[in-house]
Amino acid sequence: MCGIVGYIGPDQALPIVLEGLRRLEYRGYDSAGVAMLDGDLAVVKREGKLSELEHALEVMGPMPGSVGMGHTRWATHGAPTDANAHPHLDCGGRVAVIHNGIIENFIDLRSDLEKRGHVLASETDTEVVAHLIEEKEGTLADRVRETVSELEGAYALVVLGTDEPDVIVGVRVSSPLIVGLGVGENILASDIPAVLQKTRTVLPIDERHIVEVRASNVRVTDLDGNEVELGPFEVEWDVARAQKGGFDDFMLKEIHEQPSAIRDTLVGRVSEQGLLAMDELHTDTDVLREVDKVFVVACGTAFHSGLVAKYAIEHWTRLPVEIDIASEFRYRDPVLGPDTLTLAVSQSGETIDTLEAARHASRQGSKVLAVTNTIGSSLAREADLVMYTHAGPEICVAATKTFATQMAALHLVALYLAQVRGAMFPVEIVEIVNRMRELPGQVRRTLRLAQQVHGIAEELREARDVLFIGRHTGYPAALEGALKLKELSYVHAEGYPAGELKHGPIALVEEGVPVVAVATECHVYPKVLSNIQEVRARGARVIAVASEGDEEIAAHASHVLFVPRVPELFAPVVVTPPLQMLAYHVAKLRGCDVDQPRNLAKSVTVE
C-alpha cells in the first residue's frame, strides 16, 4: 500500500527520492517523509500529500546527501500525523527506518523497549524497529537480521544507519520490494515506476530475504545470512506509459486504453489455426486434464473478474468452480488437493490476502495459476503457472483496464482448459477466439457514449443511494459498476443479482432512487425486464445498459446506454466501460479525486 524509495549513488538523493515517491502516489497514502544521510541523518516528514512535504523542504532549504530514502504512508497504527509519518529514528538519531505492512507484536515489543528506557515519539508499529536495531551489534545488515527474528507480521523494511553510510538495507517479509539496478547507482523501491527514472533492469527481492544495496553492488541473503542469487528482468514498458498522455486524469486515460490492453492480452496466444497456444504456462497439459475442480480466489475488482471466469469455466469445461473472497478463503478450510486448480487473480501480484490464499492452496497440494499484471511479482514467482494480463502500468487506484484484461485472460484460461480436456470441438474454440478478437473494437465503440454518460451523471450527482442489478454475467458487471461508483464518488452504491431484489433489497427502492440495470442480450433477458418493472413500479429511475438493436428496452428505462452485441459470457467486457465513465463523471461533478480516492490504496499489502 505505502510507497518506498531509497537511492544510493553519485547524485543528490533528494530529487530522485521525491520523483520516485511521486510515481508511487497512485498506491494511496496520507503522509510522506524523507531521510537523507550526509554524515548525520536528516529527516523531514509531513501529514498530507507529497506537496506538503515538498513545501516544507523548500522552506528548510538544501538537504544534501547522495544516500537517502523516502516513504508515503497509508495509516494503520496511529492517525496520519507528522509524528506518525515515516521515517522513524532510534533514540540517538543514528538509525532511520521506513516500513510497509504491519508488525503484529509491536505492543509487546514497545512495552519491553520502554521498560528498558527507550523513548518512542509516535503511535506506530514501525518505530519499534528502529529502537530494536539500536540495541544490536555488528554490521547494519546483521542488526536488521537479528531484529527481524523478533518481529511477527507481514512487512518490508528499509534502513539507513550513520555507522555505515555506504549501504541501504532492505528486508522483505510478504510486502513487495525491488531493486532497480543502475551503473554506479541503485534504487530500492516498493514498485517498478519508482525506479524507471534511472533504469529498466529490476531485481525482485524474494520472500524472507535481506538486501544490502550499495552504489557499486547489491548483495542478497536469506534470514540465516546465506548468500542467494536472484535473477533480474527488463521492464518492457517505459515512463511515458505511466503519464497522463493528454487526459485530465489517469483514470480517464486508462479507461480509453482498454481496447489496446485487451488486444495486447490476446496477442501471441492464438495459433495460426485459431486455437489457443499457451506455451507460457510451461506445464504438461496432462496436469490440466486431471483437474476435477477449480477454485478462484481474488479481492475487489479482481473478484468480479473471477466471477465472470466462473461462468465461463463451468459453461465451457463443465468443471465445477468455487469462488472465494481471498481474505476468507483459507479460514473456511476449503477441500483442496492435487486434483484441484486454484486461480489466484491480482493486478499487482502483491495483494496479501490473495497471496496467502494461494499459499494455502499450494500447501494443500493444489496447482496455483496466477493471473496478474506484474512481471516478477510475489504471486507470479510463487505460483506453479502464470498468465500475465499485459495491461501496462495502471496508475489510478480504481481498476479499469486491468479488470478488462483480467476478464480476457481468464476467458483464455477457460477456453484452454476446454481445449486440452476435449470439452469443446476445435471449431467451437476457433469461433469463440474470433469473437474475442472483436472485443477491442467493440470496447472502443462503447467509449463513444461519453457525452451521454456525462448527461446521466449530471442527474446522479446528488444521489444518496444507487442500486445496480443484473443477472448471469450481468451480475458481476453490476457489482463492478457499484464498486466503481462508491470508490470514486463516495455515493452509497450496491450491486445485486436482479432476482434477489424481492428478497429484501427492494425495500430500499422509493420514488426517484436510481437503479442501473444491466440488460444486455442473454438467455435471461426477459427475467431482467421483469425485475426492471418491479423497481419502476416503486418509483425507481432506471438507467439501462442494453445491446444495440434492442427495440424493447426504451419503454422500460429513463435512459438507455446501448453497447455492442456480444456473446453473453463477454458482456461484462463491453458493459463496464460506460459504468466506469459514469462513476468517473459523477465523482468529477462532486469534486472528488478520481485518481486517488480517499482511504484507498492501489495494492493492499496488509491483512
Side-chain angles (χ1 to χ4, degrees):
M1 285 173 128
C2 315
I4 283 176
V5 183
Y7 172 80
I8 184 165
D11 298 335
Q12 286 297 298
L14 182 60
I16 297 166
V17 168
L18 289 174
E19 176 60 22
L21 293 178
R22 198 171 294 112
R23 294 181 181 184
L24 297 181
E25 283 190 290
Y26 68 91
R27 293 173 68 92
Y29 68 103
D30 43 46
S31 59
V34 293
M36 296 296 129
L37 182 54
D38 188 34
D40 294 324
L41 276 167
V43 172
V44 180
K45 47 190 185 174
R46 289 293 184 272
E47 175 189 351
K49 294 298 185 183
L50 199 55
S51 57
E52 298 294 327
L53 174 64
E54 290 174 319
H55 177 69
L57 290 167
E58 288 176 6
V59 172
M60 289 182 55
M63 196 174 181
S66 59
V67 181
M69 64 185 185
H71 187 266
T72 49
R73 175 179 185 251
W74 189 84
T76 55
H77 295 68
T81 63
D82 290 358
N84 288 332
H86 300 201
H88 289 285
L89 298 172
D90 65 341
C91 292
R94 301 180 65 81
V95 173
V97 175
I98 56 180
H99 161 225
N100 287 355
I102 291 176
I103 308 300
E104 294 176 354
N105 61 333
F106 91 101
I107 294 176
D108 292 338
L109 294 172
R110 182 186 182 108
S111 177
D112 291 342
L113 285 165
E114 289 174 335
K115 289 175 183 177
R116 296 198 293 269
H118 290 265
V119 177
L120 282 78
S122 77
E123 305 168 274
T124 69
D125 53 343
T126 309
E127 191 181 1
V128 301
V129 178
H131 290 269
L132 288 170
I133 294 171
E134 178 185 7
E135 294 184 333
K136 309 296 188 286
E137 296 181 352
T139 68
L140 185 59
D142 290 338
R143 295 160 69 193
V144 170
R145 183 175 290 106
E146 188 177 349
T147 296
V148 166
S149 69
E150 301 178 43
L151 305 180
E152 297 174 7
Y155 52 85
L157 303 169
V158 176
V159 183
L160 290 179
T162 57
D163 293 345
E164 292 183 60
D166 65 336
V167 66
I168 305 173
V169 175
V171 59
R172 180 202 170 154
V173 179
S174 291
S175 289
L177 201 61
I178 63 168
V179 179
L181 302 175
V183 178
E185 59 184 356
N186 292 298
I187 305 181
L188 194 61
S190 54
D191 206 353
I192 291 172
V195 308
L196 294 182
Q197 58 184 306
K198 286 289 187 179
T199 181
R200 291 171 64 179
T201 304
V202 172
L203 179 72
I205 305 304
D206 278 346
E207 179 74 3
R208 304 186 69 78
H209 282 171
I210 289 177
V211 59
E212 299 168 58
V213 182
R214 294 177 173 81
S216 58
N217 64 80
V218 172
R219 180 174 183 261
V220 182
T221 56
D222 61 22
L223 294 186
D224 294 323
N226 302 307
E227 193 159 346
V228 296
E229 293 292 332
L230 299 177
F233 65 90
E234 294 294 318
V235 178
E236 296 179 358
W237 44 271
D238 58 23
V239 178
R241 292 187 64 187
Q243 304 304 316
K244 292 180 182 177
F247 288 91
D248 291 339
D249 316 274
F250 282 114
M251 183 180 185
L252 191 59
K253 171 179 178 276
E254 289 158 7
I255 288 173
H256 282 78
E257 287 177 338
Q258 288 179 108
S260 60
I262 294 169
R263 184 186 63 245
D264 290 347
T265 298
L266 299 177
V267 165
R269 287 164 170 163
V270 181
S271 71
E272 293 181 0
Q273 292 76 34
L275 295 173
L276 294 176
M278 307 288 280
D279 296 338
E280 66 187 290
L281 294 182
H282 302 298
T283 187
D284 190 328
T285 53
D286 287 342
V287 171
L288 299 179
R289 288 192 190 97
E290 293 167 3
V291 168
D292 63 15
K293 191 172 188 178
V294 177
F295 291 83
V296 182
V297 292
C299 301
T301 289
F303 176 81
H304 301 156
S305 71
L307 189 52
V308 176
K310 172 181 167 67
Y311 292 116
I313 294 169
E314 290 185 336
H315 180 69
W316 288 333
T317 73
R318 310 311 300 158
L319 283 169
V321 179
E322 291 189 29
I323 178 166
D324 281 82
I325 296 288
S327 57
E328 293 293 324
F329 178 65
R330 66 192 190 278
Y331 300 117
R332 72 171 177 86
D333 196 19
V335 181
L336 296 147
D339 54 355
T340 63
L341 175 67
T342 300
L343 300 181
V345 189
S346 167
Q347 179 277 139
S348 66
E350 303 294 350
T351 307
I352 189 63
D353 293 313
T354 306
L355 263 175
E356 291 298 338
R359 289 164 179 164
H360 177 77
S362 184
R363 287 193 294 268
Q364 302 303 309
S366 178
K367 289 289 185 183
V368 175
L369 195 164
V371 177
T372 180
N373 191 45
T374 309
I375 296 171
S377 62
S378 299
L379 186 61
R381 296 199 306 278
E382 295 185 28
D384 301 291
L385 319 168
V386 184
M387 186 165 188
Y388 292 108
T389 54
H390 299 310
E394 186 175 68
I395 305 303
C396 176
V397 168
T400 52
K401 62 177 179 173
T402 55
F403 180 56
T405 55
Q406 283 169 357
M407 287 189 288
L410 287 165
H411 279 124
L412 291 176
V413 169
L415 277 176
Y416 189 64
L417 279 170
Q419 179 175 296
V420 300
R421 296 170 63 84
M424 297 173 68
F425 292 113
V427 66
E428 295 177 294
I429 294 172
V430 170
E431 181 181 352
I432 293 170
V433 168
N434 287 337
R435 297 299 298 272
M436 288 189 72
R437 286 168 157 166
E438 297 172 1
L439 285 173
Q442 290 165 328
V443 170
R444 189 171 291 108
R445 280 162 54 194
T446 69
L447 300 176
R448 299 172 188 166
L449 295 169
Q451 187 171 354
Q452 185 184 356
V453 171
H454 187 275
I456 297 170
E458 289 274 10
E459 296 184 20
L460 297 188
R461 66 187 300 178
E462 301 300 330
R464 185 185 65 186
D465 303 283
V466 181
L467 303 183
F468 289 72
I469 60 173
R471 282 181 179 261
H472 195 244
T473 57
Y475 170 47
L479 288 174
E480 181 62 13
L483 178 60
K484 284 294 159 284
L485 188 62
K486 72 179 79 170
E487 279 182 316
L488 297 173
S489 69
Y490 318 140
V491 172
H492 176 250
E494 296 296 335
Y496 294 103
E500 281 294 294
L501 283 174
K502 51 188 173 291
H503 295 284
I506 203 166
L508 300 172
V509 179
E510 57 186 4
E511 190 69 33
V513 167
V515 175
V516 179
V518 180
T520 50
E521 183 180 49
C522 66
H523 69 287
V524 289
Y525 176 76
K527 295 185 181 297
V528 177
L529 289 186
S530 297
N531 300 134
I532 291 174
Q533 289 294 341
E534 290 168 358
V535 296
R536 283 191 73 213
R538 290 158 177 81
R541 185 171 17 143
V542 176
I543 299 105
V545 184
S547 300
E548 292 173 343
D550 185 342
E551 298 178 357
E552 188 176 0
I553 191 66
H556 304 280
S558 302
H559 300 280
V560 183
L561 296 167
F562 287 107
V563 298
R565 287 179 178 270
V566 298
E568 59 185 296
L569 288 172
F570 297 159
V573 180
V574 296
V575 166
T576 48
L579 299 185
Q580 294 163 352
M581 289 191 290
L582 181 64
Y584 170 86
H585 286 299
V586 172
K588 293 287 283 188
L589 290 167
R590 290 168 63 91
C592 302
D593 185 339
V594 293
D595 283 341
Q596 297 177 45
R598 70 186 182 200
N599 301 332
L600 298 182
K602 185 64 176 173
S603 180
V604 180
T605 56
V606 294
E607 290 190 85

